[in-house]
Amino acid sequence: MALALGARAQHLNVPAVDYGYPKEYTIGGITVSGCVTRDPNAVKLFSGLKVGDKVTVPGDRISRAIRAIWEQKLFTDVRFEEAELRGNTIFLHIIVKENPQLASYGFGGTVSRNEADKLREKINLQRGQQVNDAVKANAVRTVSQYFIDKGFLKASARITESRDTTLENSVRLQVLASKGPKVRIKDITFTGNHSLPASKLRGAMKNTKRKRWYNIFGSSKFKQSDFRADQDKVIDLYNEKGFRNAVITRDTVFFSTPKKISINLTVDEGNRFYFRNIGFTGNTKYTNDTLVSLLGIRRGDVYNKKKLDSRLYMNPSGVDISSLYMDQGYLSFSPEPIERVEGDSIDLEVRIREGKQYRVRDVTVTGNTKTFDHVVRRELRTRPGDLFDRSEVIRSQQQLISLGFFDPAQVNVTPKPDPRTGMVDLDYIVAEKPSDRLELSGGYGGGRVLVSLGLSFTNFSVRKMFDRKAWTPLPAGDGQTLSLRAQTNGSYYQSYSASFIEPWLGGRKPNSLSLGGYYTRQTNGIASSDPLYQQLGIWGASVGLGKRLRWPDDYFFLNLTGSYQRYELNNWNSLFAFSNGNSNVYALQLRLSRRSVAEPFWITQGSETAFSVKATPPFSLFHPDIIYTELPPSQRYALAEFHKWKFTSQWFTKLTRSKTRHDLVLMGRVGYGFIGRYDTRKGDSPFERFYLGGSGLTGFQLDGREIIALRGYDDLSLSPNFGSFFVNKYTAELRFPVSLNPQATIFALGFAEGANAWNAIDQYNPFKIYRSAGVGLRLFLPMFGPMGLDYGWRFDDVPGKPNMARSQFHFTIGIDLGEL
């Protein structure tokens, strides 16, 4: 460093001083020249010298002052001179030459405008900053690395500098880049792999892939950081297969053609090892037999480091020894596996440090700027005084996510243990996201366009309705749901509905109350005074109570709903068995479900299974003397009766585990439905029948029928005009997220599904189905709710529908594809 400074900065020039005899002087004054944009006083401060200091000339103090100024990287030259000498008092003059400032910079060579914008974010040069060799070298390195990471392995960059007159002592930089050809990986070969085939080893390399025709979505570009990580994955695979000492001794990357590289990895597999003796020490809470059983490794098993680690530390499924202890309060628990090697055998000793059992001292919630504390706290399963339980902490996080009020990626918990007292504080961290929805829905059916406007306030507060300060713009924070909806296509169809849900009735237990009401009116569009005028009016109301059960586990819910519907028909003859008159439907629905999914839209794991039965009173059985076949339909169906049974189950499996949460997810769903009658004399109910086919969005025909979607087929095309009494449906979807931004969540999917509907039990065949497959896209916007676009291709012909298109698009806004 001293030599480098000497090359750039001249030594002190004091003619009256004899350098052969160092002498101590008192600094009488310090002046600075050469500053253009820098404060001279700052230069004095950098030097560390001040008036009155004692310095020896020549001596180290002056050298250190030069070095201190130079290390600020603001100057290209630093010199000290004697301004004046008065006896033992010396006056110093510091001469500096500033680095030039950056006036502007641009890109040239083979850099496109879009690439230039991205490079500006990475280089982050600012007008007015100092330009030195380090700044220029960093810019060259950043530009080159950017293109190398994009697959341009021969990319290079250089910088030209020119004076700029718009700013004093300033320069303009031009970054000239040469990308060269895009380079792909031609082949990846292995040497020394006697036990595992090259195909398996290449498969372990997730981000370093060969260029092959079948690798449609994978990238075959070479990235050094990915290559290093993939080498570790190769070793991990060997470790899983028992090769504990496997190493990659050499990696070779070379150009096989100007645009392609080849990679060769030389592997030293070593010997395959097997577990022999397995034991635990230091454990007092659980016996050796219990821990060995949970470890799941037996004498003679092939050594598998991945399995060993997953059974010791934080297995995502919760089946591991750390979780066993942490669920019982042992927050500082630590297992240390010690491996002793003898020949091809490994004796495993797991040293247990149990620590003390921690209890929860305080539970805090931060980040809930809109949702009230009691709404968040009632979902938490950790209470002050309880033993710390890792499983309950994870479940509490899932409960908070399932509310739909918070960003799933930002829901977290921070434990703060106090080893002195054996207590732990838990801080649950959340971040509010928009949850209310302005839902604009659209659909087409029956030759008409249906539009609807829905307002859904999912975090409403009834108790704050009379507080004027709470209207910002609506009273919120109590976790209640208020929904208002209106639908119309003009004079033909109008529908209005309102519903309210209180998830914690009384505030102490998760018992829900739901209220709802609606009115629907359909006409043939002509004046009501016209003799040909037709109208169907439907009134409805419902009251429901729900309860979270504790057995078999607390994922189970039981709901009981009572409902009333009134159908008013005036010359209406297109749907039901009668045209004029009224029909009343009094029904009670019991629904038992188990739901273990947390996320409301992008779901990655868990399941939801439900069984429900909806039934009216058996009025006909109370009057066995009435001959219903002799009554006109308007009287026969004045009191509708039926019993309706449904079973649905869907489950989600994460197929990959990405650090960015962009995982491939498999969704499977099955559904069965049946509607029956009590008395053959009265016949089947004209209401609640199943209609199969299409997207499930069928315009304005939302009148007492249950519509089941089957993409790739026309709407309602797989059921007769009067509906069906049996239905089966099977669906599989492969999903991948495009965007996980809470403001616009998007995922793509590929689907395959099959379904059919029947009218009699002797026709029922769950394996005889109409099949289809296709692709789709789902979008969720907080203010508009879910939207979807699917392209479905049908595999089967439909009798009587020779003109049905072989494939078609299905577009939905805010409406799901049917419960089944």
Side-chain angles (χ1 to χ4, degrees), residues 435-662:
S435 57
D436 297 332
R437 295 198 298 270
L438 169 64
E439 199 168 300
L440 297 174
S441 304
Y444 182 82
R448 301 182 180 90
V449 175
L450 170 72
V451 294
S452 65
L453 172 64
L455 301 175
S456 181
F457 309 107
T458 58
N459 197 0
F460 194 68
S461 176
V462 171
R463 65 186 180 92
K464 293 288 185 178
M465 287 184 63
F466 301 103
D467 183 356
R468 285 187 294 179
K469 296 181 180 180
W471 289 79
T472 55
L474 288 170
D478 270 333
Q480 300 160 343
T481 300
L482 175 65
S483 298
L484 306 172
R485 178 181 291 275
Q487 296 176 295
T488 184
N489 71 342
S491 58
Y492 292 93
Y493 175 78
Q494 296 176 17
S495 176
Y496 309 94
S497 64
S499 64
F500 172 79
I501 300 175
E502 166 56 77
W504 284 68
L505 184 61
R508 294 182 177 273
K509 295 182 179 180
N511 300 327
S512 63
L513 169 68
S514 60
L515 304 171
Y518 67 91
Y519 171 67
T520 298
R521 184 173 73 95
Q522 297 182 48
T523 73
N524 59 355
I526 64 177
S528 58
S529 58
D530 193 304
L532 299 179
Y533 176 73
Q534 297 178 343
Q535 176 181 310
L536 169 64
I538 307 174
W539 300 82
S542 65
V543 178
L545 293 173
K547 180 179 179 62
R548 182 186 295 169
L549 304 180
R550 294 183 178 273
W551 185 88
D553 60 38
D554 56 6
Y555 288 108
F556 278 84
F557 294 85
L558 183 66
N559 295 85
L560 182 65
T561 303
S563 62
Y564 168 72
Q565 290 175 297
R566 179 176 175 84
Y567 293 83
E568 298 177 345
L569 283 72
N570 180 9
N571 200 27
W572 192 263
N573 56 13
S574 61
L575 288 174
F576 309 120
F578 61 102
S579 301
N580 291 280
N582 301 324
S583 181
N584 301 279
V585 181
Y586 299 89
L588 196 64
Q589 179 173 340
L590 183 68
R591 187 174 190 269
L592 178 65
S593 63
R594 185 184 188 276
R595 177 182 172 86
S596 61
V597 297
E599 301 91 342
F601 182 69
W602 171 243
I603 304 172
T604 59
Q605 56 189 358
S607 64
E608 182 173 11
T609 301
F611 171 78
S612 68
V613 56
K614 181 178 182 181
T616 65
F619 297 108
S620 60
L621 300 182
F622 302 152
H623 304 281
D625 55 326
I626 297 178
I627 305 176
Y628 287 96
T629 55
E630 297 180 358
L631 295 177
S634 60
Q635 295 182 27
R636 180 189 306 178
Y637 300 115
L639 291 174
E641 56 183 48
F642 59 85
H643 51 94
K644 187 176 186 180
W645 307 73
K646 288 194 296 185
F647 172 81
T648 59
S649 182
Q650 62 177 346
W651 57 96
F652 301 84
T653 304
K654 189 185 296 186
L655 301 181
T656 61
R657 294 192 179 276
S658 168
K659 294 181 180 179
T660 62
R661 296 175 59 238
H662 285 70

Side-chain angles (χ1 to χ4, degrees), residues 704-753:
R705 59 177 67 188
E706 180 166 349
I707 300 168
I708 310 298
L710 185 61
R711 291 164 284 187
Y713 294 84
D714 289 348
D715 291 342
L716 313 182
S717 60
L718 303 179
S719 294
N721 293 335
F722 53 82
S724 300
F725 300 102
F726 299 86
V727 66
N728 274 16
K729 185 180 177 184
Y730 316 96
T731 303
E733 290 183 356
L734 201 58
R735 301 176 172 183
F736 186 80
V738 178
S739 168
L740 293 177
N741 187 332
Q743 305 301 321
T745 306
I746 307 171
F747 67 84
L749 62 89
F751 70 87
E753 59 186 0

